[in-house]
Amino acid sequence: MHPSLIDLVHISKSFDGELVLDDLNLSVRENSFVTLLGPSGCGKTTTLRIIGGFERPDAGSVIFNGENITDMPPNRRQLNTVFQKYALFSHMNIAENIAFGLKIKGKSKDYIQDKIQYALKLVNLSGFENRSVDSLSGGQQQRIAIARAIVNEPKLLLLDEPLGALDLKLRQDMQYELIRLKNELGITFIYVTHDQEEALTMSDTIVVMNQGYIQQMGTPEQIYNEPENAFVADFIGESNIVDGTMLHDELVEIFGAKFACVDKGFGVNKPVDVVIRPEDIDLVKPSEGTLTGIVTHLIFKGVHYEMEVTTPNGYEWLVHSTDMFPVGQEVGIHVDPFDIQIMNKPESEDEEAVGVNE
Amino acid sequence: MNKKKTSLLALPYGLWMAGFIAIPLFMVFCYGLTDRSGTFTLANVLAIATPEHRKALVLSLLLSAVSTFLCLLIAFPLALILRGRRIGRGSFILFVFILPMWMNFLLRTMAWQTLLEKNGVINALLGILGLPALSIINTPAAIVLGMVYNFLPFMVLPVYNTLAKIDDNVINAARDLGAGPFQTLIRILLPLSVPGIISGITMVFIPALTTFVISNLLGGSKILLIGNVIEQEFTRGSNWNLGAGLSMVLMIFILISMTFVAKYDKNGEGTAL
């Protein structure tokens, strides 16, 4: 087990009286790839800026490698940031940009030269030393921003939506590139994004945030397959979130039909939220389904068909399937027990506020 | 609209250019390169080499340079402070700085005359406090003061403009890479604001170099700048040929500083006033 590299302890921060982070606690292990994921305004960027030293928390402390760095200015922190929109120095060429941190630290010319070559090779931009910043494409600028950060050999690299300004294809390429870089360098990455696919692809650990709270922290599989609340389920991928009643362990009633599930310990006759991913719904003959409904909508999406199946109570189930059922056909809905995810209903208004109602 | 009709729209501007820029400029050249009888001569231009004219030109260059430098010294920190403010508050401070520009230039300069006079407001105040009186009026220092006061906004605005355009994250990136506040200033903020500084320098230096009002009002009639010499040739001496010839020399200096700007401010960033 790796020791933790950075700990955020009881961090609170508000801007103009508006609470952005509320008593946030987060611990990041050395050599992990952690993604802070959430909608805009959830506090993820503020969290990153507090770690980077660009914001000071109103309360709480930042512990880095066992040292309290809450009040340390950014230039003295042993970590580097890759900024949104790259923030390269436009009055310097590529080599000078990469050398900036090393020059400040007073490294020798030879050392700096070696590092520039090494970093450019690492980001596949060898030979770009004398190019100007303006002559580079967005993707190339982003690679230089990464190179500029990693030559300083930080223990921790912070990335603030670094791929946000790139087009889809480039973004996917860069995702693989980042994973490769992380594995080659052995640096801890903390990555901020609002793109759930990006988070699922790259991270060891995803921290889902909303309205200043951590909603759930876990591996991509845990976050996707076992969302802890309706917000996480809704934010990560598409899902059907319906009201249900937990009759007893491993049996839940949805819209009057009984579904077998694998969850236990919710009590007897307890109202719960039930999450079922669209790809986990099997459409079968009406006689074989637990619920029946009519296909009311059909779109071809390439990999699969997206359908809406309306049950007699009026709920429209979102279904992804490689089998096509025409609009108007009556179908049965079947869900395997392990594909049903049961969640407690929010108990207080406070919890409700961080739910799907926003 | 076809091309011909569109170009017709430029006619008023074309007439304006011809009537108030091209023709006067042409006339300056005509006068400058002829003597009273109308024969061609370079004497008027070469007259700059006479000791009194040379002295006036050197003094003008010196005082303008000092004023420009002082403006930059005041404007850069001010622009830095303005940059750090929230947008609303920053523009209020900027507004306060530009406010005097709404008053008549002559009036402002005459106000300084009253303030600086031997028995003026400042010396009266110093007298009340028991301090020795200042005799700034009619000295080069008074002229520099007048220049800095009048032309400071022309330095603040372009410098502030370029500084304000620098992305916060560029500064954060410098800090992140280990640069302290001073290093960030020297290595990032200063180089990135060069276009604004250059444009500010010309916008202060050129009017300071050609002014005769400030030196008239605050320098008495003792201190002659090249602007005063030219003015006198046109008004009192009524030697238009010599005045035009000296103006041409001054134009050369202005052209030099304009080329300087064109070289450093390719994108016109600093001139976005």
Side-chain angles (χ1 to χ4, degrees), chain A residues 97-113:
Chain A
N97 263 281
I98 296 174
F100 187 84
L102 300 173
K103 270 190 195 152
I104 297 269
K105 290 183 190 78
K107 301 285 186 193
S108 76
K109 271 211 172 100
D110 290 343
Y111 178 86
I112 293 176
Q113 269 312 316

Side-chain angles (χ1 to χ4, degrees), chain B residues 110-148:
Chain B
M110 282 162 97
W112 271 112
Q113 205 177 15
T114 328
L115 286 171
L116 294 174
E117 262 169 0
K118 263 206 179 85
N119 305 312
V121 179
I122 289 176
N123 277 341
L125 276 175
L126 288 174
I128 292 168
L129 295 169
L131 293 167
L134 288 172
S135 51
I136 296 179
I137 194 79
N138 300 344
T139 64
I143 299 178
V144 168
L145 179 71
M147 286 177 175
V148 171

Side-chain angles (χ1 to χ4, degrees), chain A residues 49 54 74-75 80-81 83 87 89-91 100-101 104-105 148 152, chain B residues 86 169-170 172-180 183 187-188 191-192:
Chain A
R49 288 172 62 83
F54 306 112
N75 48 317
N80 287 107
T81 310
F83 291 91
F89 306 131
S90 57
H91 59 299
F100 187 84
I104 297 269
K105 290 183 190 78
R148 183 178 68 174
N152 301 288
Chain B
R86 297 271 172 83
N169 275 342
V170 169
N172 285 341
R175 303 277 280 134
D176 185 75
L177 293 165
Q183 295 261 30
R187 288 171 186 257
I188 304 296
L192 282 177

Side-chain angles (χ1 to χ4, degrees), chain A residues 57-110:
Chain A
D58 298 336
S61 43
V62 183
I63 312 292
F64 181 67
N65 233 356
E67 187 190 359
N68 188 336
I69 60 162
T70 317
D71 296 321
M72 188 185 276
N75 48 317
R76 293 184 43 220
R77 299 191 179 199
Q78 298 292 314
L79 50 87
N80 287 107
T81 310
V82 175
F83 291 91
Q84 211 172 352
K85 297 196 198 126
Y86 335 130
L88 294 178
F89 306 131
S90 57
H91 59 299
M92 301 178 186
N93 68 22
I94 297 309
E96 288 166 337
N97 263 281
I98 296 174
F100 187 84
L102 300 173
K103 270 190 195 152
I104 297 269
K105 290 183 190 78
K107 301 285 186 193
S108 76
K109 271 211 172 100
D110 290 343

